[in-house]
Amino acid sequence: MKLQRKNMLRASALGALVVSGALVLTACGSDDNTNNGGASGKPSVAAGDIKCGDAKGKLLASGSSAQKNAVDLWVKNYMAACQGVEVNYKSSSSGEGIVAFNQGSVGFAGSDSALKPEQVEESKKICTGGQGINLPMVGGPIAIGFNVAGVDKLALDAPTLANIFNDKIKKWDDEAIKKLNPGVNLPSTAIQAFHRSEDSGTTENLGKYLKAAAPDAWTYEASKKWPAPGGQGASNSSGVASQVKTVDGAIGYFELSYASSQNIKTVDINTGASAPVKASADSASKAIAAAKVAGTGSDLALKLDYATKAEGAYPIVLVTYEVVCDKGNKAETLPTVKSFLGYAASDAGQKILSDNGYAPIPAEINTKVREVINSLS
């Protein structure tokens, strides 16, 4: 696997990211917004598109709930093609998935953010002679949902959003919000800000955006654990979405699928471009297209430009990674890890993402992902 370069991939090459429909990265188990092969229950790809190889037995994996429905689609098709192989992905959170991976209890983990240096160091105890690496699989926008009676359209910029989430702006008719929304009749309703109560890669990505785009207002380092005072915690994205949907004056963050499936209104983000940007597949694609590879060797962690002002680019985005050992994988699960992830990164696996409203990884990056998967040992 020849991935020694530290150079960043050209943004123009990443522009090949093409998606259609509403992006539906989902979080957390109760809501399933995908088409799992139709009413017949048959796999949506031909068995010949999946190379089972020496895969056998049971493969356990866990982590990011943002990619749950994507993994469910892959698992459904893969298990239909590879008889006798069981892949069990536990949708929990990025933090829990990485803990499980570094304890050696799963073959791979899903995470909404790349491994931190200390997590890589810890992984060396499990990855004999190697370490944990990040393989990007799918990306999309983090929507800011709101519920304010009488308000159907709302625009916010990063400093104002930061001051809402750090409990400094307390009413919906605050002057900072009014200035960004001329002509909108904003009530004096108290703001009810909701955040994730457990460690979450979605929280960390929102924090990266606020830190990059509003450093004076958001003084906290990006973290999976919610760092700011005030606000109210809710479990998983489904819990945050439920609160936003039912509480007047509420605002919260979650994967776009929750807004789409539950008819929750979303904030347009004022980035400094000519017009505020709505959360969508296309607008997230424009931001992801500017991503650069920050990892070295076999690690393909991406650096996203959260402070982008590009026209039509929605800046609050995430990419989910599959975290695996580059070397030192367990002999009994390695063939299945390579076979399953090889299918997920294949043309057929990525096409399923497009067909179901997700964003596939840009072709040039995905080629590298496949090379790394083939090199796992």
Side-chain angles (χ1 to χ4, degrees), residues 71-156:
V71 176
D72 283 352
L73 288 166
W74 289 329
V75 167
K76 181 181 181 69
N77 289 336
Y78 182 81
M79 288 175 56
C82 301
Q83 298 295 321
V85 181
E86 180 181 348
V87 179
N88 187 332
Y89 181 81
K90 179 184 177 183
S91 171
S92 51
S93 69
S94 298
E96 292 176 64
I98 290 172
V99 168
F101 177 75
N102 280 338
Q103 289 176 342
S105 59
V106 295
F108 71 89
S111 179
D112 302 352
S113 56
L115 292 168
K116 296 184 182 303
E118 60 270 22
Q119 293 170 332
V120 173
E121 194 61 32
E122 187 178 355
S123 74
K124 293 178 181 178
K125 299 174 184 177
I126 299 300
C127 305
T128 307
Q131 65 180 45
I133 57 172
N134 306 281
L135 301 179
M137 286 290 178
V138 62
I142 300 170
I144 307 297
F146 73 96
N147 179 2
V148 182
V151 179
D152 294 322
K153 187 175 179 60
L154 186 70
L156 297 172

Side-chain angles (χ1 to χ4, degrees), residues 182-217:
V184 177
N185 186 19
L186 293 162
S188 60
T189 306
I191 293 174
Q192 306 284 339
F194 291 92
H195 57 260
R196 292 280 288 272
S197 58
E198 76 286 357
D199 286 3
S200 163
T202 311
T203 294
E204 185 171 12
N205 280 280
L206 175 65
K208 288 178 180 178
Y209 160 70
L210 294 174
K211 183 69 173 177
D216 293 337

